[in-house]
Amino acid sequence: MPKRVTAKEIAQALGISTMTVSRALNNRPNVDEKTRQKVLETARKMGYIPNLIAKSLVLRKTSTIGVVVPEITHSFFPEVVRGIEEVSYQAGYHIILAHTNENAQREISVIHTLISKQVDGLLVSISQSVENFEIYQQVVQRGLPLVFYDRCVKGLGVNCVRLDDRESAAKITRHLIEHGYERIAHISGPQNVLISEMRLKGFKDAVEATGIELDERLIVPGGFHEESGYRAMQQLLALPAGKRPRAVVAVNDPAAFGAMKAILEAGLRIPQDVAIVGFSDDIRAELMVSPLTTIRQNAYEIGRRAALKLIDLIEEKSNSVEEIVIHGELVVRHSCGC
Amino acid sequence: MPKRVTAKEIAQALGISTMTVSRALNNRPNVDEKTRQKVLETARKMGYIPNLIAKSLVLRKTSTIGVVVPEITHSFFPEVVRGIEEVSYQAGYHIILAHTNENAQREISVIHTLISKQVDGLLVSISQSVENFEIYQQVVQRGLPLVFYDRCVKGLGVNCVRLDDRESAAKITRHLIEHGYERIAHISGPQNVLISEMRLKGFKDAVEATGIELDERLIVPGGFHEESGYRAMQQLLALPAGKRPRAVVAVNDPAAFGAMKAILEAGLRIPQDVAIVGFSDDIRAELMVSPLTTIRQNAYEIGRRAALKLIDLIEEKSNSVEEIVIHGELVVRHSCGC
DNA sequence: TTAAATTATGTTAGCGATAACATGATGGTT
DNA sequence: AACCATCATGTTATCGCTAACATAATTTAA
């Protein structure tokens, strides 16, 4: 193992003190320009790379942000991470990525590790199975800056950057209404998940605003996946002729894909017979036989904003508790017939 | 900012020395069981969390692996990261993720940072624009364990875990040949990228093994994206009637999607008129009008194997230089007509 | 019972860097 | 020439922890 060069060794090589070397390397004032040049050159020649571990210990600052991700494979999170990375890199912070695999136990373990590693702040999206929020309170009590992104916990006084699920669901539903559709159905997601609930609420908001009475039969429990969308749609199509929906708002794109399959299999056309819209702009949405109208969520922006807020907290440029909402963008394609 | 509890404070609270506290917390022998219990309990009560930065400094080991990723958004890499994470977590290592955005300059900067942070080893997939390999040599010279994954550099004596692009391309081509197709075309990728080259070679291997002479007109330069696949296919379809291909091997799935579009637009059927296969099992492959036959690459496995090898190097359980090849899996769907 | 072996605990030094203070060198001012 | 400001450099202590050695307490063996 080749010995690693330290600042002390540079100092010895030049016959000066370690402190002067440190000052020269860190571009501090009060160093003679000639000395600085000598130090820089010697450092380069000797292949010196500073030890940030030692530096962090004395400065009590690591310039590192801990990022807790529940599910790295889902395309949404990598995009968020890209946003976080971009901002962090610019601001001179590094990130340590920790993956919980949607496991509450692992989330606690991972947060402990990040604290042990003395991160300057934490960005967390909570795992689905989390029910106990004690760990977040511990983090807050330690005075460690914390920002939730995408999946937030309310009532802890913690900053949060999230999507406007309710507003976006209302927006896309309104879009259908404005184009004259009347009997509009909703294929909803799992009942206990916040985003399903918010999207359902948004759907109701839009429908109720029209004054038309909401037909509860047009709200069918589905799920986040294709099969659930497929089954939910079959259920809708089984309604008596006059009661069938003319348009459908699916809780997300995969559910919409399943629903589309059911519609086509029933010999109906999209959007002439049944119009359909999704949510989240899946990479496949554009490639469907009838390209899907949907809501595009700016995951990158969530990452960016969360990182910006966190760094502000770390550097004490801000200490307010905010809830930052990133608005979804309506992407109109063929499937809504608009 | 609440003061953080240190081992020293636990020692003071109990009237014992810091060293005994350290021993108790680290499950070292030669500590009285009663003392150990007292220490553990006091630590818990006081909310003690060890400072790994200080520990790393004295032990000269951080239990951290640096992972360099060229492009986090591409679904391949998150899957690799998941594999790396899984193995690392089991073995007690943390990972620091660094994203280069395919930028050579940034890759150097990022590797320097990781070294500064005293990672115990590096997992690197080189960025597309990298042409100078000096940085890797520096890493090797420092004695820092290094393993390339997916995109490797040959001739540096560095470990490498990669896919068998050439073999897999030959395999999928052979599959077409075995099902009786004769005029088989190849839509290739960018010429200067290694994987394009390997896939082209694999294609040629398979065709030449049949003894049939290779028609160079059937190899058209395309690219990794849909548009390039689309244009390349148009070019193939413009060949004189008898010279047109009966089957096509695309360099990857997106290129195949583009090609499919061109085929359908020309009024031809898949696979009855033209069969087509892709490469890399894109999430959309299954959902196409004619589900795409392709090669599934086990990205997770690449991550796993690379991390295992790196940890072996770090812990000096191995010092051999290996090239580990992960084999692609043929996924037969509708588009090849087999 | 007393020396030797074993176990529990303490002391000192140092990981590699920097803050805070101290000192030495230079130069300008009256 | 004497004095003070300014700049360049050095010294010491410390960040929180652990290795290595030293010592004290206890047990075992003869």
Side-chain angles (χ1 to χ4, degrees), chain B residues 10-73:
Chain B
I10 297 178
Q12 278 164 353
L14 290 171
I16 59 178
S17 80
T18 323
M19 202 55 226
T20 303
V21 172
S22 168
R23 279 191 273 250
L25 291 170
N26 288 285
N27 285 311
R28 304 299 268 275
N30 297 342
V31 180
D32 189 85
E33 196 48 39
K34 268 180 277 174
T35 312
R36 163 167 293 140
Q37 289 310 327
K38 264 194 295 186
V39 170
L40 259 41
E41 202 197 331
T42 311
R44 200 183 47 68
K45 265 197 217 139
M46 297 176 75
Y48 173 75
I49 297 190
N51 186 327
L52 289 185
I53 292 284
K55 185 170 183 167
S56 298
L57 184 59
V58 34
L59 295 186
R60 290 214 190 71
K61 156 135 185 134
T62 53
S63 295
T64 302
I65 291 172
V67 180
V68 179
V69 177
E71 177 47 86
I72 187 79
T73 310

Side-chain angles (χ1 to χ4, degrees), chain A residues 2 4 49 52 64 72-73 79 82 85 89 94-96 99 106 109 113 116-117 141-142 284, chain B residues 2 4 52 64 72-73 79 82 85 89 94-96 99 106 109 113 116-117 141-142 284 287:
Chain A
R4 270 141 212 202
I49 298 191
L52 289 185
T64 302
I72 187 78
T73 310
E79 197 58 41
R82 227 189 80 231
E85 239 276 345
Y89 184 78
H94 321 121
I95 69 181
I96 300 188
H99 179 226
R106 188 142 161 186
S109 141
T113 304
S116 289
K117 295 210 129 197
Q141 273 165 20
R142 285 198 137 236
R284 295 164 286 183
Chain B
R4 271 141 211 202
L52 289 185
T64 302
I72 187 79
T73 310
E79 198 57 40
R82 228 190 78 231
E85 239 276 345
Y89 184 78
H94 321 120
I95 68 181
I96 299 188
H99 179 225
R106 188 143 162 186
S109 142
T113 304
S116 290
K117 296 210 127 196
Q141 273 165 22
R142 285 197 135 236
R284 296 165 286 182
L287 277 118

Side-chain angles (χ1 to χ4, degrees), chain A residues 35-327:
Chain A
T35 312
R36 163 166 294 141
Q37 289 309 326
K38 264 193 296 185
V39 170
L40 260 41
E41 202 196 331
T42 311
R44 199 184 47 68
K45 264 198 216 140
M46 297 176 77
Y48 173 75
I49 298 191
N51 185 328
L52 289 185
I53 291 284
K55 186 170 182 167
S56 298
L57 184 59
V58 39
L59 295 187
R60 291 218 190 68
K61 156 136 183 132
T62 53
S63 295
T64 302
I65 292 172
V67 180
V68 179
V69 177
E71 178 47 86
I72 187 78
T73 310
H74 186 314
S75 73
F76 177 79
F77 288 107
E79 197 58 41
V80 175
V81 171
R82 227 189 80 231
I84 294 171
E85 239 276 345
E86 207 54 45
V87 169
S88 310
Y89 184 78
Q90 298 288 340
Y93 286 81
H94 321 121
I95 69 181
I96 300 188
L97 193 82
H99 179 226
T100 66
N101 215 5
E102 301 283 14
N103 180 331
Q105 200 53 51
R106 188 142 161 186
E107 183 172 307
I108 292 176
S109 141
V110 137
I111 292 178
H112 271 123
T113 304
L114 291 171
I115 297 176
S116 289
K117 295 210 129 197
Q118 312 294 115
V119 294
D120 294 339
L122 282 173
L123 291 174
V124 176
S125 198
I126 70 166
S127 295
Q128 261 170 28
S129 59
V130 170
E131 285 173 355
N132 183 338
F133 304 141
E134 207 181 318
I135 181 85
Y136 310 123
Q137 285 181 309
Q138 284 174 26
V139 169
V140 172
Q141 273 165 20
R142 285 198 137 236
L144 191 59
L146 170 64
V147 175
F148 286 123
Y149 66 93
D150 187 46
R151 306 187 190 160
C152 304
V153 178
K154 306 221 167 187
L156 294 178
V158 172
N159 283 276
C160 165
V161 179
R162 60 170 185 82
L163 298 164
D164 65 336
D165 281 299
R166 182 168 183 169
E167 203 21 77
S168 289
K171 190 194 289 179
I172 200 165
T173 308
R174 264 200 311 276
H175 180 74
L176 292 172
I177 293 169
E178 282 160 11
H179 283 77
Y181 293 110
E182 283 187 357
R183 289 193 60 78
I184 304 176
H186 180 49
I187 295 178
S188 72
Q191 297 307 312
N192 55 336
V193 176
L194 191 66
I195 63 173
S196 310
E197 199 189 312
M198 295 318 276
R199 289 177 193 176
L200 171 58
K201 279 192 180 149
F203 170 77
K204 286 185 176 171
D205 290 346
V207 173
E208 285 166 0
T210 62
I212 305 171
E213 203 186 338
L214 188 71
D215 182 347
E216 288 288 345
R217 282 172 304 182
L218 292 182
I219 295 175
V220 292
F224 287 147
H225 305 291
E226 271 182 73
E227 316 83 69
S228 17
Y230 180 75
R231 279 195 304 273
M233 192 67 219
Q234 285 184 323
Q235 199 179 322
L236 284 168
L237 292 174
L239 288 171
K243 299 294 179 188
R244 279 193 209 146
R246 179 66 187 80
V248 177
V249 177
V251 69
N252 69 1
D253 283 3
F257 299 150
M260 288 168 101
K261 194 171 159 211
I263 296 169
L264 296 174
E265 280 183 11
L268 299 170
R269 291 161 306 164
I270 300 170
Q272 295 88 336
D273 299 312
V274 184
I276 183 159
V277 299
F279 210 108
S280 75
D281 200 27
D282 190 285
I283 185 167
R284 295 164 286 183
E286 200 163 2
L287 279 119
M288 303 307 286
V289 187
S290 168
L292 189 66
T293 291
T294 188
I295 291 282
R296 177 177 299 148
Q297 298 174 324
N298 200 334
Y300 178 82
E301 187 63 15
I302 290 185
R304 255 179 41 79
R305 295 296 295 275
L308 283 172
K309 178 69 194 179
L310 184 69
I311 291 171
D312 275 357
L313 289 172
I314 293 172
E315 299 181 348
E316 298 181 324
K317 290 179 190 152
S318 146
N319 56 1
S320 61
V321 176
E322 292 180 76
E323 182 168 35
I324 299 171
V325 176
I326 307 297
H327 296 286

Side-chain angles (χ1 to χ4, degrees), chain B residues 62-118:
Chain B
T62 53
S63 295
T64 302
I65 291 172
V67 180
V68 179
V69 177
E71 177 47 86
I72 187 79
T73 310
H74 186 313
S75 71
F76 177 80
F77 288 108
E79 198 57 40
V80 175
V81 171
R82 228 190 78 231
I84 295 172
E85 239 276 345
E86 206 54 45
V87 169
S88 310
Y89 184 78
Q90 297 289 341
Y93 285 81
H94 321 120
I95 68 181
I96 299 188
L97 192 82
H99 179 225
T100 66
N101 215 4
E102 300 284 12
N103 179 333
Q105 201 53 50
R106 188 143 162 186
E107 183 171 309
I108 292 175
S109 142
V110 137
I111 291 178
H112 271 123
T113 304
L114 292 171
I115 297 175
S116 290
K117 296 210 127 196
Q118 312 295 117

Side-chain angles (χ1 to χ4, degrees), chain B residues 37-277:
Chain B
Q37 289 310 327
K38 264 194 295 186
V39 170
L40 259 41
E41 202 197 331
T42 311
R44 200 183 47 68
K45 265 197 217 139
M46 297 176 75
Y48 173 75
I49 297 190
N51 186 327
L52 289 185
I53 292 284
K55 185 170 183 167
S56 298
L57 184 59
V58 34
L59 295 186
R60 290 214 190 71
K61 156 135 185 134
T62 53
S63 295
T64 302
I65 291 172
V67 180
V68 179
V69 177
E71 177 47 86
I72 187 79
T73 310
H74 186 313
S75 71
F76 177 80
F77 288 108
E79 198 57 40
V80 175
V81 171
R82 228 190 78 231
I84 295 172
E85 239 276 345
E86 206 54 45
V87 169
S88 310
Y89 184 78
Q90 297 289 341
Y93 285 81
H94 321 120
I95 68 181
I96 299 188
L97 192 82
H99 179 225
T100 66
N101 215 4
E102 300 284 12
N103 179 333
Q105 201 53 50
R106 188 143 162 186
E107 183 171 309
I108 292 175
S109 142
V110 137
I111 291 178
H112 271 123
T113 304
L114 292 171
I115 297 175
S116 290
K117 296 210 127 196
Q118 312 295 117
V119 294
D120 294 340
L122 282 172
L123 291 174
V124 177
S125 198
I126 72 166
S127 295
Q128 260 171 29
S129 58
V130 170
E131 284 172 354
N132 183 337
F133 304 141
E134 207 181 317
I135 181 85
Y136 310 123
Q137 284 180 309
Q138 283 174 25
V139 169
V140 171
Q141 273 165 22
R142 285 197 135 236
L144 191 58
L146 170 64
V147 174
F148 287 123
Y149 66 93
D150 187 48
R151 306 189 191 159
C152 305
V153 179
K154 305 221 169 187
L156 293 179
V158 172
N159 283 277
C160 165
V161 179
R162 61 171 185 82
L163 297 164
D164 65 337
D165 280 300
R166 183 168 184 170
E167 202 23 75
S168 289
K171 190 194 289 179
I172 200 164
T173 308
R174 262 199 314 274
H175 180 74
L176 292 172
I177 293 170
E178 282 161 10
H179 283 77
Y181 293 110
E182 283 188 355
R183 290 193 60 77
I184 303 177
H186 180 49
I187 296 177
S188 72
Q191 299 305 312
N192 56 336
V193 176
L194 191 66
I195 62 173
S196 310
E197 199 188 311
M198 295 318 275
R199 289 175 193 178
L200 171 58
K201 279 192 181 150
F203 171 78
K204 286 185 176 170
D205 291 345
V207 172
E208 285 165 359
T210 63
I212 303 170
E213 203 185 337
L214 189 70
D215 182 346
E216 287 289 342
R217 282 173 303 181
L218 291 181
I219 295 175
V220 291
F224 286 146
H225 305 290
E226 272 181 71
E227 316 83 71
S228 17
Y230 181 75
R231 279 196 304 274
M233 192 68 221
Q234 286 182 322
Q235 199 179 320
L236 284 168
L237 293 173
L239 287 172
K243 301 292 179 187
R244 279 193 209 144
R246 180 63 187 82
V248 178
V249 176
V251 70
N252 69 2
D253 284 2
F257 300 150
M260 287 166 103
K261 194 171 158 209
I263 295 169
L264 296 174
E265 281 182 9
L268 299 169
R269 292 161 305 164
I270 300 170
Q272 294 88 336
D273 298 313
V274 184
I276 183 159
V277 299

